[in-house]
Amino acid sequence: LQAGIIDKQIIALTHQMADAAGEIQLRYFLKSVEVETKADLSPVTLADREVESTLRAMIEAHYPEHGIIGEEFGSVREDAALKWVLDPIDGTQAFIAGIPTFTSLIALTHNGIPIMGMIDQPCSKERWLGIAGENTTLSGNKIHTRPCDSLANATIGTTAMKYFTPEQAEIFEALKNACGNVLFGGDAYLYAGLASGKIDLVVEAGLKPYDYCALRPVVEGAGGIMTDWQGNALKLGSDGRVIAAANAALHAQAMKFLAPSSPKSLLRF
Amino acid sequence: LQAGIIDKQIIALTHQMADAAGEIQLRYFLKSVEVETKADLSPVTLADREVESTLRAMIEAHYPEHGIIGEEFGSVREDAALKWVLDPIDGTQAFIAGIPTFTSLIALTHNGIPIMGMIDQPCSKERWLGIAGENTTLSGNKIHTRPCDSLANATIGTTAMKYFTPEQAEIFEALKNACGNVLFGGDAYLYAGLASGKIDLVVEAGLKPYDYCALRPVVEGAGGIMTDWQGNALKLGSDGRVIAAANAALHAQAMKFLAPSSPKSLLRF
């Protein structure tokens, strides 16, 4: 279906964008950064802005007809079928605290559906690439989610409890208590780790399109499933509550906690 | 006082030990690892054991008279004045989850007092070295804690709430709520980030000597303070409740939460 869209040129550009993002991130990461406080208190840095404007310029130069949605500078050409979705620094908290789990997230969506996603970490030089219908790679090598068929054996991750509303936190607590192991922190790394077969479940809320669009192709191309809390496949316009699971059996078990009484709790694409 | 103890040979060996640890860690980090569950549920890996036995062999080869305390293989020569304290993989949860914030921690203690500490991360190639009486370095460059004189402006970090008892969690919650920003996760990276001027306070409990011994020289050589919750300088035998602060003013403000009514809440060394 979308095989024709993601061609060599698009993949090459995406790699170049991640290279450029990493170079800028590292330049700022190795020294202290000025912190600005947004209304929602998430720290934003000069690096954030420099990365996003650089990536936007690269897209404009190669695909001036494509739309762009970015964390820092909003949207252009919102009616384009192909739209890039950019998070110049995912994990800005970690970035500012000197912890190398920040990443750049680059996604391409087709009619709102994420069909390519890249997660890049410049310190460890780890780069995940997911393309709809293809096997996800980590730095060029194919990776797969690991077999894990029960919550009791599962490691569940979430970045921080503070991103949940009180009602969501209650739901997450119940699910977490059914899981064998829980991991806090990590941002996009949690989803990358799930794709690499090291984490089994990730459940979060309050995510924006630039937070989750790049993740879905990476997770699904490695054999996982990524939906909202109703079981709907993630796309532009999803409500920001997400679940990623290593496989369908685990997803189904977790959905009993996320949407226990909803007739919509069936997995649908 | 201790200037004569930490000589070039000891420093060179410590670098070689960190190199060896990083090589083994990376070999396991890049693939999945078998997980064994200890009584306390902390995950332990084959890598953990291989790193520690390698480091112990290196110490035995160069300083057969020194004592060694390690996470995996216990203590030898406990009555030696000079004892090495080893955490082969700090942040094993992160290690297993594929998140590159694990480190190796190597400390040397003299009569129980940590006089040298190294924190090493092999993916990002960041290496912190603290020596009593000298300026802490990050990969060879001198670093300093940042000026931050009030809790309201401070970023406080802790690895996870689960390491606190309910009473400790209550104390931490109150302190955290007085701080401008809070960061979860990170393990030794929190203290390294404090030394690098990116985090202002770290408060944890339940730490073992191999968790904290390497951290104190790094923190204090960068201008910070690291004590227990009573204000006592950390040494072998401390009770595992620790606070690291960017400076004395911030430490004093935080101590009002940690030891509010204790006459022992004064800072003493």
Side-chain angles (χ1 to χ4, degrees), chain A residues 29 31-32 93 96-101 123-124 126 162 181-183 186 189-190 193 196-199, chain B residues 29 31-32 93 96-101 123-124 126 162 181-183 186 189-190 193 196-199:
Chain A
F29 184 67
K31 56 179 186 180
S32 292
Q93 281 266 3
I96 287 175
I99 299 174
T101 55
C123 301
S124 62
E126 292 173 294
K162 69 179 175 184
N181 193 14
V182 61
L183 187 75
Y189 248 96
L190 295 171
S196 299
K198 297 186 169 189
I199 294 175
Chain B
F29 184 67
K31 58 178 186 182
S32 292
Q93 280 265 2
I96 287 174
I99 298 175
T101 55
C123 300
S124 62
E126 294 173 294
K162 68 178 174 182
N181 194 12
V182 61
L183 188 74
Y189 248 96
L190 295 172
S196 300
K198 298 187 168 188
I199 294 175

Side-chain angles (χ1 to χ4, degrees), chain B residues 25-258:
Chain B
Q25 288 172 343
L26 280 186
R27 177 153 40 83
Y28 285 89
F29 184 67
L30 300 176
K31 58 178 186 182
S32 292
V33 289
E34 279 184 47
V35 179
E36 173 197 337
T37 301
K38 272 206 244 180
D40 64 357
L41 291 179
S42 85
V44 181
T45 63
L46 294 169
D48 228 355
R49 294 169 182 190
E50 186 174 335
V51 171
E52 186 172 324
S53 36
T54 300
L55 300 191
R56 294 177 90 108
M58 294 173 81
I59 295 168
E60 295 287 354
H62 290 81
Y63 298 103
E65 72 281 14
H66 287 185
I68 307 175
I69 301 172
E71 187 190 10
E72 293 296 320
F73 300 110
S75 302
V76 293
R77 295 180 291 278
E78 297 198 55
D79 52 353
L82 287 168
K83 285 201 281 281
W84 297 79
V85 186
L86 307 174
D87 192 351
I89 303 179
D90 185 73
T92 40
Q93 280 265 2
F95 182 84
I96 287 174
I99 298 175
T101 55
F102 63 90
T103 54
S104 60
L105 302 179
I106 302 170
L108 186 60
T109 61
H110 182 234
N111 296 334
I113 298 169
I115 57 172
M116 186 191 67
M118 186 173 278
I119 305 173
D120 185 76
Q121 213 302 318
C123 300
S124 62
K125 299 194 195 310
E126 294 173 294
R127 179 174 293 180
W128 288 263
L129 173 62
I131 297 171
E134 296 188 17
N135 199 129
T136 294
T137 56
L138 164 53
S139 305
N141 303 307
K142 290 181 184 176
I143 55 169
H144 306 276
T145 60
R146 69 181 169 194
C148 173
D149 59 0
S150 81
L151 295 179
N153 293 324
T155 292
I156 186 170
T158 201
T159 296
M161 292 305 295
K162 68 178 174 182
Y163 297 115
F164 293 118
T165 64
E167 294 74 21
Q168 291 166 350
E170 211 173 297
I171 291 170
F172 179 81
E173 283 284 351
L175 172 56
K176 164 178 92 63
N177 292 340
C179 291
N181 194 12
V182 61
L183 188 74
F184 291 103
D187 300 288
Y189 248 96
L190 295 172
Y191 302 86
L194 187 141
S196 300
K198 298 187 168 188
I199 294 175
D200 307 293
L201 268 178
V202 187
V203 171
E204 299 196 292
L207 299 194
K208 298 288 190 300
Y210 45 78
D211 292 318
Y212 65 73
C213 278
L215 308 176
R216 185 183 153 195
V218 169
V219 166
E220 296 192 349
I225 289 172
M226 194 161 171
T227 72
D228 66 18
W229 286 18
Q230 301 294 328
N232 301 298
L234 288 181
K235 56 186 180 187
L236 287 179
S238 293
D239 70 4
R241 295 178 297 170
V242 312
I243 167 174
N247 56 60
L250 212 54
H251 184 273
Q253 289 176 49
M255 287 304 292
K256 290 178 189 161
F257 290 83
L258 301 184

Side-chain angles (χ1 to χ4, degrees), chain A residues 102-115:
Chain A
F102 63 90
T103 54
S104 60
L105 302 179
I106 302 170
L108 186 61
T109 61
H110 183 236
N111 297 333
I113 297 168
I115 56 172

